[in-house]
Amino acid sequence: MIRAAVLPAVGAPLEITGIELPEPGPGQVRIRLAAAGVCHSDLSLSNGTMRVPVPAVLGHEGSGTVVSVGEGVTHVAPGDGVVLNWAPSCGACHPCSLGEVWLCDNALSGAANVHARTADGRELHPGLNVAAFAEETVVGAECVLPVPDGVPLADAALLGCAVLTGWGAVHHAARVREGETVAVFGVGGVGLATLQAARIAGASTIVAVDVSPEKERLARAAGATEYVVASERTAREIRALTGGHGVDVAVECVGRAVTIRTAWESTRRGGRTTVVGIGGKDQQVSFHALEIFHWGRTLAGCVYGNADPAVDLPVIAAHIRDGRFDLGALVTERITLDGIPGAFDAMVAGKGGRALVVF
Ligand SMILES: [Zn+2]
Ligand SMILES: [Zn+2]
């Protein structure tokens, strides 16, 4: 019996409870978790903004040590440190054939599986494939990547979602070039990773925007050169900080209509806006036809940083080893499994960066 955070039903509070895990079958890996980040997507799954089969063990940003492997698993062995990849690609579907592995049609096919049971026999699904809010988990071998050399095992959890997303938003989706100006909306775990990625890309002015004035120090430590507390004047303030033009690139890490619209308005004519935040169907963003023509701007979505973990993690790891990317700077709280409901409350209140469950 191991302890896990179980979502019993959409909209219900998480239960921290004992679960039974089977031994890994063919092609599976059993992992003892070292750490798991609490991501906004976990909150979105618990409140129904995003849907997966329930009851489920949530948690999708994790790292740990391989305990045992099933038949046919050769790329990792017991004792290895691994990062969980919640969106593995199949290599065979149409997006994969185009090289757009982050859009794989089959990325979440594992979420329908039953991977564990509660003590009273209820079947459990692995949230976003990996069920990282648990002392141990069993996942498909395709969801496991070796921890890159020189990256601490617990902090490596962040690579699996926040860091890959923020890194990819800057380097793949927005393709920020040296000297460009960037605004980042939302200073949570992904926002902080995005700020660091923008600094590494050589952005000149980097504006962080958040509703909370308390995140300024955190944002500046991650690379922000300017800090704006969100208001109805935000777009004007950002234009004023960039010679009246607006930024070259805005990255929206909130997923709300008002921030998407403000991010778009904060860019220069011809500027690019990348939407990383995941919003609900009630968030309608509107544009009139003349402004789409006049401003010549781009508005684009971004899934998992438009990144390929197998390619990007070694690149990010090199920046971590050289001290350019600081994983620890994303973490504002280290908690236990029992602290996850409180971490959800803090996210709803817009507080903090990443809360990291340390096992
Ligand atoms: Zn996430
Ligand atoms: Zn695929």
Side-chain angles (χ1 to χ4, degrees):
M1 186 81 80
I2 55 148
R3 296 182 80 229
V6 172
L7 177 70
V10 170
L14 290 184
E15 291 172 6
I16 315 299
T17 184
I19 68 167
E20 304 275 7
L21 266 185
E23 286 308 306
Q28 292 185 322
V29 181
R30 182 168 180 139
I31 293 149
R32 182 175 305 117
L33 274 295
V38 183
C39 176
H40 207 276
S41 299
D42 295 308
L43 180 64
S44 298
L45 293 170
S46 80
N47 66 24
T49 302
M50 291 162 68
R51 296 275 181 163
V52 286
V54 289
V57 177
L58 299 185
H60 60 278
E61 184 181 84
S63 60
T65 305
V66 174
V67 177
S68 53
V69 300
E71 197 185 314
V73 176
T74 53
H75 76 301
V76 291
D80 287 356
V82 290
V83 183
L84 297 178
N85 171 16
W86 61 265
S89 50
C90 73
C93 68
H94 186 59
C96 281
S97 74
L98 297 172
E100 298 178 0
V101 295
W102 54 94
L103 300 177
C104 176
D105 289 340
N106 302 308
L108 286 181
S109 56
N113 295 343
V114 170
H115 87 298
R117 288 173 197 275
T118 57
D120 56 6
R122 279 179 295 163
E123 293 185 333
L124 293 170
H125 302 280
L128 293 177
N129 282 327
V130 294
F133 288 165
E135 291 166 331
E136 296 191 17
T137 188
V138 172
V139 303
E142 67 281 5
C143 296
V144 164
L145 295 159
V147 171
D149 288 342
V151 179
L153 181 62
D155 289 357
L158 302 163
L159 294 173
C161 190
V163 172
L164 202 61
T165 301
W167 175 266
V170 166
H171 290 269
H172 299 307
R175 295 179 183 275
V176 173
R177 295 180 294 263
E178 194 171 349
E180 286 195 312
T181 54
V182 176
V184 178
F185 290 73
V187 181
V190 173
L192 288 167
T194 304
L195 289 166
Q196 291 204 47
R199 176 171 64 189
I200 291 170
S204 51
T205 298
I206 304 175
V207 188
V209 184
D210 197 278
V211 290
S212 166
E214 288 156 26
K215 293 186 183 177
E216 177 165 359
R217 198 175 48 82
L218 213 53
R220 287 190 184 273
T225 61
E226 312 287 342
Y227 192 81
V228 171
V229 178
S231 72
E232 68 283 0
R233 298 186 312 279
T234 295
R236 260 180 291 160
E237 285 180 49
I238 291 175
R239 281 200 295 276
L241 290 168
T242 48
H245 305 297
V247 285
D248 298 302
V249 169
V251 181
E252 202 269 1
C253 306
V254 182
R256 290 179 59 84
V258 62
T259 31
I260 293 169
R261 175 77 210 191
T262 305
W264 187 80
E265 288 175 9
S266 301
T267 60
R268 64 170 171 82
R269 280 187 92 177
R272 292 107 70 197
T273 299
T274 296
V275 179
V276 174
I278 303 170
K281 292 175 182 170
D282 60 328
Q283 298 294 311
Q284 292 283 337
V285 191
S286 61
F287 302 92
H288 63 71
L290 184 61
E291 66 186 350
I292 293 172
F293 161 76
H294 170 79
W295 290 98
R297 291 163 168 154
T298 304
L299 177 70
C302 174
V303 175
Y304 208 11
N306 297 6
D308 180 347
V311 174
D312 288 271
L313 288 189
V315 175
I316 299 168
H319 288 294
I320 293 169
R321 283 193 295 273
D322 294 347
R324 287 188 294 268
F325 198 106
D326 180 1
L327 281 179
L330 271 55
V331 180
T332 46
E333 211 184 352
R334 290 178 195 263
I335 60 175
T336 64
L337 268 181
D338 301 286
I340 295 173
F344 276 13
D345 293 342
M347 273 193 287
V348 173
K351 289 183 186 154
R354 205 47 136 208
L356 189 67
V357 181
V358 181
F359 292 92

